[in-house]
Amino acid sequence: MESRLLKPALAVYLGLFLLFLYGPMIVMAILSFQGPTGGPQFPIVEWSTYWYQHLFGQISGSRVSQLPVGESLIRSLVLAVMTTIVSTVLGVMAAQAFRTRFAGSGPIFYLFVLGMIVPGVLVGLGMALLSNMLGIDRAWWSTSFVLHVVYTFPFAFLVMLAIFNRFDRSVEEASLSLGVSPAETFRRVTFPMIFPGVLSAMLFSFTLSYDEFSRTLFTSGPRLTLPLSIYGTFSVEIYPNVFAFGVLTTVFSFTLLAIYGLLMMRSVARNNQQYKGQET
Amino acid sequence: MLTLKSVSRHYGQASAIDGLDLVVPDDSYVSLLGASGSGKTTLLRIIAGFEEPDNGTISLRGARLDGVPPHKRGVGFVFQNFALFPHLSVEDNVAFGLRYREERPVRDKAEVRERVQTILGLVGLEGLGRRAVGAISGGQKQRVALARTLIAEPKIVLLDEPLGALDANLRERMCDELRAIRQRLGISFLHVTGSETEALLMGDQVAVLADGAIAQIAPPDDLFRSPASATVARHLNAFNIISGTVSDGRLRSPVGALALPTGTGARNGQPMSVALPYDGIAVKPRRDEASDGISARFVTAEFKGPSMLSFFRAADGSLIQSLVHLSEPRPPRYEPDQVYALDFDPELLIAFPERAY
């Protein structure tokens, strides 16, 4: 009796929650198909792909200037890739080190994790002051990059730590006992087995870096990353071309997630084939 | 020949292995019997190099092993949980050592394939090479683990409770196969187990590990006929151990006064334990006069197919087990809580004089 009421209630609740999660994105998606004369709000004057064309510079003579995102998009992507690689490599190495207890491993653990807890604005400001003091020019590929790594590394580290926690060491020992060196063992046994975790760590690092705002704000110098330049357009006037751009980046993110999901499924399926049949 | 000399390993205050000496001869099957927590896995891990001893030396064919990294020791290891590489097929699991080992890796693909097929045939896994290791049964996994170790031609193979994860009937068959495979290859096996039946069945020699050291190493029948100490006898799970003090040529114990075998020759006041074989007991109706021997209350019986194991509780609360082989006349049904006299031939007792502290 109870579950007959409870289940539909929970289902409705879940539906509302999902709507709440995706509401803003849905609104944005709808408004991105606004006509040339419409504004960034309802009602939709006319359905069109005008603002998508505008985004790619195919509309000439518009009074609305083109969204200055081209270069900053490239910058953000390059920065995210750089951050992903460095953070994941560091995260895997650090987590590997933490598999054995060493002197000071407790405090060092908290120092590592601190990077994701301290407020970004403060770290950004601190970095800006430091680079001024040292006379280093701020740029997205130097000062911002360092902060992105500081910020995303703890996430990669924690993901890998969880993976190694469930890792059966005897598989590595089996490899060693076969005469295979520790380095080769890592390459042939450990890495393939932790690969799903590495993917997750990469996904975390990439998305966190890709839309990082506060740390980048103070440290990127004159060349802006994508979140900064989008924010910059808001301070003038908002047109639906921002929404069109938002939809495109969301599609890009979903593609990334889909690739992640596929790789994950392949790797998990390979590790989890179950035996069905009679013991012989 | 694998030689361990006064090897010790401590964890904090507790010592898992304490001054252990052991020799595993070439071309032999030695089983190591120990209760859980006796440090038997620790011992294997020390030999394999996954852990280093705090003290003592380990040498294999004259070369020191301790301090050498595990991948340079030439010691094979078969894990209780198989520890197969989950991302590789059966073939690739078996070929792993040949392909990727540091010394003399086999690069010739045809040779690898041929040796893999040979070894798969040896362990009875023909035709399963392309399967994923998740897609085979427990017994097959154990064979893959064995093949993977044997193909690398180790000087000695350590087996850590290799049959522990298998079904009972499969375990017996694997026992026979392990022995046969070992004989064909002529490598030494050191097989660790907590099961006395497995240890006695498998080993040319059985070593009993107790209190961090080898209490006795002997061929199974010698071990059974003359265990060196009460501890060893207890591990064999075939003896009732009764402790007491000698007085006038008899053993005064909490369960009663027992006659000692002739020639025991102990002075009065000497502490002593005796081992009374489970199957040396004749259960008789109770005698009235307080005489020699053990009077005990029947608790319960376990029917074990070819034998029947009965449990009695003596006056002091200790448990005494009696085993009757059912090839003999079947014993009558005992009444629970009824007191019986447990008779035995004193010459069957094995006496262990203990040091008086």
Side-chain angles (χ1 to χ4, degrees):
Chain A
M1 193 63 206
E2 196 181 282
S3 74
R4 219 189 278 174
L5 278 176
L6 192 63
K7 273 195 173 175
L10 283 175
V12 170
Y13 175 73
L14 177 67
L16 285 175
F17 176 69
L18 285 177
L19 196 67
F20 173 74
L21 263 186
Y22 285 91
M25 221 183 274
I26 294 166
V27 169
M28 183 183 77
I30 294 171
L31 286 178
S32 72
F33 293 100
Q34 181 70 282
T37 55
Q41 67 269 326
F42 289 105
I44 300 283
V45 181
E46 173 195 3
W47 294 98
S48 79
T49 56
Y50 176 85
W51 294 109
Y52 286 90
Q53 295 168 40
H54 186 276
L55 198 64
F56 289 105
Q58 296 180 327
I59 307 284
S60 52
S62 168
R63 63 174 182 85
V64 178
S65 56
Q66 212 191 325
L67 210 57
V69 291
E71 281 187 15
S72 58
L73 172 66
I74 305 284
R75 265 179 231 131
S76 267
L77 285 176
V78 172
L79 179 58
V81 168
M82 280 161 55
T83 306
T84 300
I85 293 170
V86 173
S87 279
T88 308
V89 169
L90 287 180
V92 171
M93 284 167 62
Q96 170 89 8
F98 269 86
R99 291 172 72 184
T100 47
R101 207 168 285 264
F102 53 87
S105 58
I108 290 174
F109 173 82
Y110 289 107
L111 285 177
F112 275 1
V113 176
L114 211 60
M116 67 193 251
I117 298 172
V118 286
V121 183
L122 292 184
V123 182
L125 197 60
M127 187 65 164
L129 291 175
L130 184 70
S131 56
N132 269 359
M133 245 171 60
L134 298 177
I136 302 168
D137 284 338
R138 280 172 282 167
W140 60 272
W141 50 265
S142 61
T143 40
S144 285
F145 169 61
V146 169
L147 282 194
H148 277 216
V149 170
V150 168
Y151 175 48
T152 57
F153 159 72
F155 288 92
F157 170 63
L158 287 182
V159 168
M160 292 320 297
L161 209 60
I163 295 289
F164 277 127
N165 232 341
R166 294 185 289 122
F167 193 87
D168 179 11
R169 187 175 280 269
S170 64
V171 183
E172 290 169 316
E173 289 171 345
S175 170
L176 294 177
S177 76
L178 293 171
V180 181
S181 69
E184 193 76 1
T185 295
F186 182 82
R187 182 177 158 206
R188 304 282 178 187
V189 177
T190 316
F191 189 76
M193 287 178 70
I194 61 170
F195 186 64
V198 174
L199 272 183
S200 304
M202 288 173 75
L203 187 75
F204 262 116
S205 306
F206 189 91
T207 50
L208 286 173
S209 161
Y210 184 59
D211 71 7
E212 212 293 320
F213 185 83
S214 51
R215 289 166 180 79
T216 327
L217 181 64
F218 293 103
T219 53
S220 71
R223 290 176 218 282
L224 302 181
T225 61
L226 185 66
L228 295 183
S229 61
I230 291 178
Y231 182 72
T233 62
F234 289 174
S235 55
V236 190
E237 198 177 353
I238 301 175
Y239 293 100
N241 57 354
V242 178
F243 299 149
F245 182 70
V247 168
L248 290 183
T249 51
T250 307
V251 168
F252 171 74
S253 297
F254 274 129
T255 315
L256 216 62
L257 262 181
I259 293 170
Y260 165 79
L262 278 176
L263 284 173
M264 197 72 158
M265 254 163 54
R266 246 188 48 183
S267 147
V268 169
R270 208 168 39 172
N271 289 355
N272 274 355
Q273 291 174 17
Q274 288 299 313
Y275 173 73
K276 297 182 200 73
Q278 185 80 34
E279 180 87 28
T280 50
Chain B
M1 195 165 78
L2 175 76
T3 314
L4 283 83
K5 277 209 186 91
S6 55
V7 169
S8 299
R9 174 85 172 117
H10 306 274
Y11 294 105
Q13 294 294 321
S15 63
I17 303 288
D18 191 12
L20 179 141
D21 295 305
L22 175 67
V23 172
V24 179
D26 280 337
D27 193 9
S28 71
Y29 204 127
V30 174
S31 51
L32 187 71
L33 176 62
S36 61
S38 63
K40 48 192 198 296
T41 297
T42 304
L43 179 62
L44 283 200
R45 295 177 58 80
I46 287 174
I47 298 172
F50 304 145
E51 289 176 34
E52 284 293 335
D54 298 326
N55 282 308
T57 60
I58 307 163
S59 51
L60 182 58
R61 298 189 183 164
R64 277 283 285 272
L65 277 192
D66 46 304
V68 177
H71 68 284
K72 291 186 174 155
R73 292 198 180 194
V75 172
F77 203 111
V78 176
F79 293 83
Q80 178 173 15
N81 65 352
F82 318 129
L84 299 179
F85 307 127
H87 56 294
L88 298 178
S89 69
V90 168
E91 266 173 355
D92 290 336
N93 260 276
V94 174
F96 191 87
L98 285 187
R99 280 185 189 142
Y100 305 127
R101 66 186 173 196
E102 199 171 61
E103 266 175 64
R104 303 175 293 107
V106 181
R107 308 228 184 265
D108 179 23
K109 281 183 185 161
E111 189 191 339
V112 170
R113 200 177 313 125
E114 192 190 304
R115 286 176 67 174
V116 167
Q117 291 313 322
T118 311
I119 205 91
L120 284 180
L122 181 72
V123 299
L125 282 179
E126 299 96 334
L128 289 180
R130 301 214 177 276
R131 292 271 192 95
V133 290
I136 57 176
S137 71
Q140 289 166 341
K141 280 183 190 162
Q142 192 52 274
R143 285 164 216 253
V144 175
L146 193 64
R148 179 180 72 177
T149 303
L150 294 176
I151 202 169
E153 292 170 347
K155 300 180 192 107
I156 182 168
V157 178
L158 312 175
L159 302 105
D160 185 11
E161 305 202 38
L163 311 176
L166 302 183
D167 296 343
N169 59 343
L170 191 64
R171 207 177 304 157
E172 276 173 30
R173 230 179 47 215
M174 278 303 285
C175 275
D176 299 339
E177 283 186 35
L178 273 177
R179 283 190 71 93
I181 289 168
R182 193 209 70 74
Q183 265 162 13
R184 227 174 308 167
L185 295 175
I187 313 176
S188 286
F189 276 23
L190 178 59
H191 176 138
V192 152
T193 174
S195 145
E196 69 287 344
T197 37
E198 199 175 299
L200 294 170
L201 179 65
M202 302 298 291
D204 301 327
Q205 303 262 333
V206 179
V208 178
L209 180 66
D211 302 324
I214 302 296
Q216 186 177 10
I217 177 162
D221 47 345
D222 287 1
L223 195 73
F224 223 83
R225 211 176 320 116
S226 49
S229 66
T231 311
V232 172
R234 199 173 282 122
H235 274 85
L236 297 177
N237 197 22
F239 298 96
N240 296 296
I241 310 293
I242 300 164
S243 305
T245 28
V246 177
S247 158
D248 300 331
R250 316 174 81 72
L251 183 72
R252 303 258 168 237
S253 79
V255 302
L258 311 180
L260 288 168
T262 47
T264 307
R267 58 187 166 72
N268 283 351
Q270 161 85 46
M272 182 175 276
S273 293
V274 292
L276 168 62
Y278 289 170
D279 58 355
I281 294 176
V283 180
K284 304 259 175 70
R286 189 189 186 180
R287 290 158 304 205
D288 282 332
E289 68 274 23
S291 63
D292 263 9
I294 306 167
S295 297
R297 207 173 283 280
F298 176 67
V299 182
T300 185
E302 278 176 10
F303 178 64
K304 299 188 131 186
S307 63
M308 172 89 89
L309 187 62
S310 307
F311 296 85
F312 295 87
R313 200 168 286 286
D316 71 323
S318 57
L319 206 61
I320 294 180
Q321 303 180 44
S322 152
L323 184 87
V324 174
H325 301 285
L326 295 183
S327 53
E328 299 162 20
R330 202 186 168 97
R333 197 172 278 280
Y334 306 130
E335 289 299 322
D337 276 341
Q338 188 74 42
V339 176
Y340 291 88
L342 306 182
D343 268 5
F344 52 87
D345 177 0
E347 298 306 320
L348 287 178
L349 290 180
I350 306 166
F352 308 109
E354 285 166 12
R355 264 178 295 149
Y357 291 102

